[in-house]
Amino acid sequence: MNTPTEELAPAVRSILEAASERSGGDERVSVDARSLSEAFASAEADGRVPVIAEVKPTSPTTDGARDDDPVALAASMVEGGAAALSVLTEPEHFDGSVENLTRVREAVDVPVLRKDFVVREDQLDAAEADLVLLIARFVGDDLADLVEAARDRGFQPLVEVHTREELAAALAAGAELIGVNNRDLGRLEVDLSTFETVAPEVPDRVTVIAESGITTPADARRMREAGADGLLIGSAIMDAEGGDGAGTGGDVSANTRRFTAAESEEEV
Ligand SMILES: O=C(O)c1ccccc1NCC(=O)[C@H](O)[C@H](O)COP(=O)(O)O
């Protein structure tokens, strides 16, 4: 099921080429992971929308970059009520690093997702994290082996899908945490109806996360109404304008709070 690369956006092709050349870790990691489901339950119990806030310095679809200290950003996200964090470790297109991930995980006590483009088992050993992303479209027939390899190391694998076919492959591979990416990696366009189309096919026993393109509290509520157990939000939290000109002045804590409070009466 590996996608022919000509069907991918040029930036994504470049990301994949770089990923295939990136070395893995020297030693097999063994992780004592913080539970995402417990973090989500704890957020729900005190009225917060379960949000995975992403430390995303830049991306192929972002103008400019934020060069704030990732640990300071992460602390602000937790202060804003984030149930978990995601840290980009891809260096060439997202300005991420495994050092950022390691420093952030040491500084916070919420679960931390390693957001990267893992295509081989040895790349799982580049850094410790509580969760690791596996993108169904990129790993194709290796998905089940990578899910197992990730679990063997103690990670909670989050399998990203964009279509019903990829969802079927993720379920067949034994995924228990699924992210539905609203961003089409073929054209880099975002459409929130992707989640609304795919999520109803996800069995209740599986935790489902809406990823990408969530820009306003109304978007957050829309994804929750469509069945999202949690939301993965990067750009709108990192953005100087809070995603939609909300006037937060780039305050990452306030940007995060807009989404974690999206279902409460004191919505900001
Ligand atoms: O964000 C991009 O520009 C991008 C381009 C090519 C491949 C992946 C990309 N993003 C990775 C992500 O999954 C997002 O960072 C994440 O879902 C958060 O999305 P958003 O809230 O829209 O920043």
Side-chain angles (χ1 to χ4, degrees):
M1 202 193 64
N2 285 322
T3 304
T5 51
E6 60 273 17
E7 289 177 17
L8 297 170
V12 177
R13 257 184 268 161
S14 169
I15 290 169
L16 262 188
E17 277 164 25
S20 66
E21 285 162 20
R22 201 164 302 127
S23 58
D26 297 332
E27 278 177 35
R28 186 184 167 98
V29 297
S30 175
V31 181
D32 182 14
R34 302 165 193 163
S35 163
L36 184 72
S37 59
E38 284 174 22
F40 277 10
S42 163
E44 295 272 12
D46 60 33
R48 284 174 288 133
V49 175
V51 168
I52 305 175
E54 186 160 275
V55 177
K56 182 179 183 183
T58 189
S59 85
T61 60
T62 307
D63 287 331
R66 268 192 94 142
D67 58 6
D68 316 45
D69 178 15
V71 170
L73 290 169
S76 297
M77 290 166 175
V78 173
E79 186 185 295
L85 301 178
S86 165
V87 178
L88 257 309
T89 56
E90 204 277 356
E92 287 157 64
H93 303 78
F94 294 84
D95 232 353
S97 70
V98 290
E99 290 75 21
N100 286 354
L101 169 69
T102 302
R103 288 182 58 226
V104 165
R105 188 162 181 260
E106 277 169 12
V108 300
D109 56 10
V110 299
V112 181
L113 166 70
R114 177 177 168 211
K115 196 77 191 299
D116 209 322
F117 300 84
V118 168
V119 290
R120 289 191 322 271
E121 179 172 344
D122 65 298
Q123 294 173 333
L124 293 169
D125 296 320
E128 291 188 18
D130 303 289
L131 301 117
V132 67
L133 186 77
L134 297 172
I135 302 177
R137 185 168 185 168
F138 291 168
V139 303
D141 295 339
D142 296 331
L143 183 58
D145 288 345
L146 285 169
V147 165
E148 191 183 343
R151 285 203 184 114
D152 284 348
R153 288 162 168 79
F155 294 111
Q156 299 156 92
L158 170 62
V159 179
E160 179 178 299
V161 305
H162 181 69
T163 63
R164 288 178 171 165
E165 292 71 28
E166 288 171 11
L167 171 64
L171 294 172
E176 292 167 357
L177 277 176
I178 290 187
V180 179
N181 195 352
N182 289 310
R183 181 174 286 111
D184 172 7
L185 298 178
R187 289 170 297 147
L188 287 185
E189 285 167 8
V190 170
D191 181 350
L192 295 187
S193 69
T194 304
F195 184 84
E196 293 165 326
T197 304
V198 176
E201 309 291 321
V202 177
D204 287 345
R205 64 181 161 75
V206 170
T207 299
V208 62
I209 294 162
E211 298 179 8
S212 302
I214 299 162
T215 306
T216 65
D219 291 341
R221 288 189 288 273
R222 177 175 165 188
M223 294 293 95
R224 292 278 282 169
E225 278 157 23
D229 296 306
L231 313 174
L232 173 62
I233 308 176
S235 309
I237 287 177
M238 297 291 290
D239 191 64
E241 300 299 330
D244 62 348
T248 55
D251 177 338
V252 164
S253 174
N255 287 352
T256 307
R257 180 78 60 200
R258 295 183 73 222
F259 297 101
T260 59
E263 291 174 340
S264 70
E265 284 172 15
E266 69 216 57
E267 182 200 318
V268 277

